[in-house]
Amino acid sequence: MSSVRALKAEVSADILGPLLREAREARSFGLAAGPIRRAVKPERGVALGIARGPGPDQYRLAVRLQRRTFEDDGDLRRRLESAAHSEVDIRYVGRIAKRTTADTAVHGPMLPWFRLRQRPLLIGCSVGHHAVTAGSLGGFFRHRETGRTVLLSNNHVLANEDLAKAGDAVLQPGRFDGGRRFKDRIGTLAGTVPMKTEGSNLMDAACAVMAEGVPFDPRAVTGFGVVRGLRNRPIEPGDEVFKIGRTTGLTRGVVTAIELDDVVVDYDRGQIRFDRQIEIEGAGDGAFSSGGDSGALILDREGDACALLFAGSDHGGSNGKGVTNANDLTLVMETLNLELALEQLIA
């Protein structure tokens, strides 16, 4: 693992650094007039991480290409393979975007349970800030300082990409699934991890304080079983994982890379860069997530919570169904000062 981390730093500095500087300079000559805030934002296009190696307890460099120009660059591929002595996993994943639902989602008379009003609240059901379409309720936690129960999801689900303020209403179901600001208010925005447009971020996360008297089940994962606890060891490439979210429900996937740096994600406010991310592909022929699954809790096969889903692509990956990106849950909990709440069930 340590040798791959060293290789990752070397490739970033010696190969990708000069290449991306040249690309930015070339692009600047043909830059159209537009808002300067978008023009100066980084558009790296190549993320580096750690993937499973050919044998047990072996690892190799993961290279994730987000732009077609890099996928078609044969010289770049040769240089990467040479630096890694062919121990490199290079994949095109396409553009990655936040996973809240788009305004074009279809309503119908037979909506799945996770898009309907749920009392008690369940992990994976539709939720969102009153000005956001809809995302997923990730899980129930306790704020260590105040002792209050909170629900966890993404910043862009509960805090509207930092546009919301503390005390804003959080709805279940989310507004796009029929939630109404007063009738379906289940809590208020309490804690947010701000997202930087300059430099790198580690997470897209926020939490909301539960309103008094709102019933919830902190353990049930419909179709899977229960949340057993918090995973106490690092997630590894090749691990089998599950998630339950507002759009695709319960899905199974495989971790394909960890410690991914320079993952560029499209938001309403522009492109934002993330480091130390987890990448997951759907097992078999299906996708692991889709728009509206943002904020979903990710569990390992034993039922231990390990990650928080926030973004993904619809194309690329080994099965052509795209990849999903997630934050390390332990880091999210430390940042928001949370602990897992499993015993509280309000009747």
Side-chain angles (χ1 to χ4, degrees), residues 124-137:
C125 66
S126 171
V127 72
H129 180 273
H130 66 80
V132 171
T133 51
S136 301
L137 194 160

Side-chain angles (χ1 to χ4, degrees), residues 115-155:
R115 289 183 58 183
L116 300 173
R117 191 176 193 271
Q118 294 297 318
R119 302 294 185 275
L121 300 178
L122 296 173
I123 295 171
C125 66
S126 171
V127 72
H129 180 273
H130 66 80
V132 171
T133 51
S136 301
L137 194 160
F140 302 95
F141 296 77
R142 185 182 299 104
H143 189 263
R144 289 193 179 98
E145 183 177 348
T146 65
R148 298 196 66 179
T149 300
V150 301
L151 61 90
L152 178 68
S153 191
N154 296 142
N155 177 316

Side-chain angles (χ1 to χ4, degrees), residues 27-80:
R27 194 166 59 250
S28 68
F29 285 106
L31 186 66
I36 188 64
R37 64 181 179 84
R38 288 186 177 271
V40 299
K41 286 183 180 177
E43 188 179 343
R44 304 266 302 175
V46 183
L48 299 179
I50 300 172
R52 174 64 63 190
D57 299 323
Q58 292 184 335
Y59 304 92
R60 54 184 168 180
L61 181 68
V63 180
R64 299 299 183 256
L65 309 175
Q66 292 185 241
R67 289 157 56 187
R68 286 289 185 188
T69 51
F70 292 127
E71 184 191 24
D72 297 334
D73 190 336
D75 181 61
L76 172 61
R77 182 177 289 270
R78 285 190 292 273
R79 293 176 67 187
L80 290 169

Side-chain angles (χ1 to χ4, degrees), residues 192-236:
T192 304
V193 182
M195 292 190 296
K196 302 178 292 185
T197 56
E198 300 295 332
S200 294
N201 299 269
L202 297 178
M203 65 195 72
D204 176 347
C207 63
V209 174
M210 297 282 293
E212 293 293 334
V214 176
F216 65 97
D217 188 331
R219 300 197 68 184
V221 180
T222 306
F224 175 83
V226 298
V227 178
R228 187 177 74 166
L230 181 68
R231 185 178 170 105
N232 60 8
R233 61 193 187 283
I235 200 161
E236 294 271 354

Side-chain angles (χ1 to χ4, degrees), residues 107-329:
H107 290 278
M110 297 297 292
L111 294 177
W113 70 264
F114 33 81
R115 289 183 58 183
L116 300 173
R117 191 176 193 271
Q118 294 297 318
R119 302 294 185 275
L121 300 178
L122 296 173
I123 295 171
C125 66
S126 171
V127 72
H129 180 273
H130 66 80
V132 171
T133 51
S136 301
L137 194 160
F140 302 95
F141 296 77
R142 185 182 299 104
H143 189 263
R144 289 193 179 98
E145 183 177 348
T146 65
R148 298 196 66 179
T149 300
V150 301
L151 61 90
L152 178 68
S153 191
N154 296 142
N155 177 316
H156 72 266
V157 174
L158 299 182
N160 197 17
E161 298 185 26
D162 290 325
L163 293 177
K165 61 182 182 297
D168 278 2
V170 171
L171 312 180
Q172 197 297 308
R175 184 171 175 180
F176 197 66
D177 293 327
R180 298 186 179 182
R181 189 166 179 175
F182 298 104
K183 176 185 175 183
D184 298 305
R185 176 181 171 276
I186 53 135
T188 54
L189 178 65
T192 304
V193 182
M195 292 190 296
K196 302 178 292 185
T197 56
E198 300 295 332
S200 294
N201 299 269
L202 297 178
M203 65 195 72
D204 176 347
C207 63
V209 174
M210 297 282 293
E212 293 293 334
V214 176
F216 65 97
D217 188 331
R219 300 197 68 184
V221 180
T222 306
F224 175 83
V226 298
V227 178
R228 187 177 74 166
L230 181 68
R231 185 178 170 105
N232 60 8
R233 61 193 187 283
I235 200 161
E236 294 271 354
D239 283 350
E240 183 181 37
V241 291
F242 298 81
K243 81 97 187 61
I244 188 162
R246 172 259 176 206
T247 301
T248 57
L250 182 68
T251 58
R252 182 171 65 93
V254 177
V255 175
T256 46
I258 60 172
E259 299 183 24
L260 272 174
D261 294 338
D262 289 323
V263 178
V264 177
V265 181
D266 292 339
Y267 285 86
D268 292 342
R269 61 195 290 193
Q271 293 185 324
I272 298 180
R273 194 165 75 232
F274 291 84
D275 287 345
R276 294 175 61 183
Q277 300 306 301
I278 300 164
E279 179 191 83
I280 301 165
E281 290 188 357
D285 297 329
F288 187 67
S289 71
S290 187
D293 287 328
S294 276
L297 187 68
I298 297 173
L299 307 166
D300 64 18
R301 64 189 306 172
E302 286 78 30
D304 289 329
C306 57
L308 183 69
L309 191 156
F310 81 106
S313 66
D314 294 324
H315 305 284
S318 62
N319 65 3
K321 300 295 184 179
V323 298
T324 293
N325 296 94
N327 311 144
D328 183 293
L329 183 62

